[in-house]
Amino acid sequence: SGLLTRLQTSAPTIRTLSSSNSFSQNIPSCLWKLGRLNHVAIAVPDLAKAQSLYKDVLGAQVSQTVALPEHGVYTVFVELGNTKLELLHPLGEKSPIASFLQKNKTGGMHHICIEVDDIKAAMTELKKKNIRILTEEPKIGAHGKPVIFLHPKDCHGVLVELEQA
C-alpha cells in the first residue's frame, strides 16, 4: 500500500481552462480582424518549369499566367485546397522579383499573404504600432482586391501582404 500511496500523491495535476480564463482575453481588441492564410508566394526564375512541377509532377490545379504590370510580376496560382501558392516571375527589369532573384538565383519564398476584414483600419492601427507599410495606399492585387505589404524588418524578416477579404 506504500507504493500505491506514493503513486497517487505524485500523479500530475491536470487543470482545465475555464471560459473566464481563456486565451482570447489576452488578445487586445482591434478594429480589424486577421483572417486566413490566403497564399504563400514563391519567386521562381523559370515560370514554365515551376508550373510544370506543380501541375505535371505534383498533380495540382495550376492557373494560367497573369501579368500584373502595376506590381511588375507575372503570377500563377497553385490551388492547394486550404490555401494557394503564388508563383512569381519578374515582369520587366524594375520588378521587385528581379532584384529578389538576383540575390536568390534559384528562387525561394518571397512573402505570405493573410486576409483582413478591414484593410484601412488595419493600416491605421499598424501605423500607430510603428509597423511600416510599403505604400501609402492599398494597391489592387492579383485577386482584384486591395493589398498592402508590411516591411519585413518589422515582421521578423518576413514580407507580409495583407489582402482585403
Side-chain angles (χ1 to χ4, degrees):
S1 88
L3 178 60
L4 181 58
T5 305
R6 278 196 313 233
L7 285 174
Q8 288 173 333
T9 58
S10 65
T13 305
I14 298 172
R15 287 188 223 160
T16 59
L17 292 173
S18 68
S19 60
S20 64
N21 191 17
S22 73
F23 290 115
S24 64
Q25 288 179 337
N26 297 328
I27 300 170
S29 63
C30 290
L31 298 175
W32 57 281
K33 183 179 169 199
L34 199 60
R36 72 179 190 93
L37 176 67
N38 184 284
H39 65 267
V40 174
I42 302 169
V44 297
D46 186 329
L47 194 53
K49 236 180 181 175
Q51 279 176 293
S52 178
L53 168 69
Y54 288 101
K55 183 178 181 181
D56 303 329
V57 177
L58 299 176
Q61 182 180 336
V62 177
S63 76
Q64 295 297 316
T65 303
V66 175
L68 296 175
E70 63 278 10
H71 292 277
V73 296
Y74 289 104
T75 65
V76 169
F77 282 95
V78 179
E79 294 292 329
L80 298 178
N82 61 344
T83 191
K84 297 179 277 297
L85 296 178
E86 179 183 32
L87 305 179
L88 297 171
H89 187 72
L91 172 62
E93 293 173 15
K94 294 182 181 175
S95 169
I97 300 306
S99 60
F100 181 89
L101 288 171
Q102 284 174 355
K103 297 174 198 153
N104 305 277
K105 301 289 185 208
T106 58
M109 192 188 94
H110 185 262
H111 68 267
I112 63 170
C113 176
I114 303 171
E115 295 175 359
V116 296
D117 66 347
D118 187 337
I119 201 159
K120 288 289 197 175
M123 289 177 74
T124 301
E125 198 163 319
L126 289 167
K127 284 179 183 177
K128 287 179 188 172
K129 293 178 178 179
N130 296 317
I131 302 295
R132 290 173 283 179
I133 300 169
L134 300 182
T135 56
E136 287 299 314
E137 290 295 320
K139 291 183 176 182
I140 298 303
H143 297 114
K145 297 177 180 180
V147 300
I148 59 170
F149 286 87
L150 308 181
H151 199 294
K153 289 185 179 175
D154 298 338
C155 300
H156 305 284
V158 177
L159 179 61
V160 176
E161 177 183 20
L162 298 180
E163 178 179 284
Q164 177 77 41

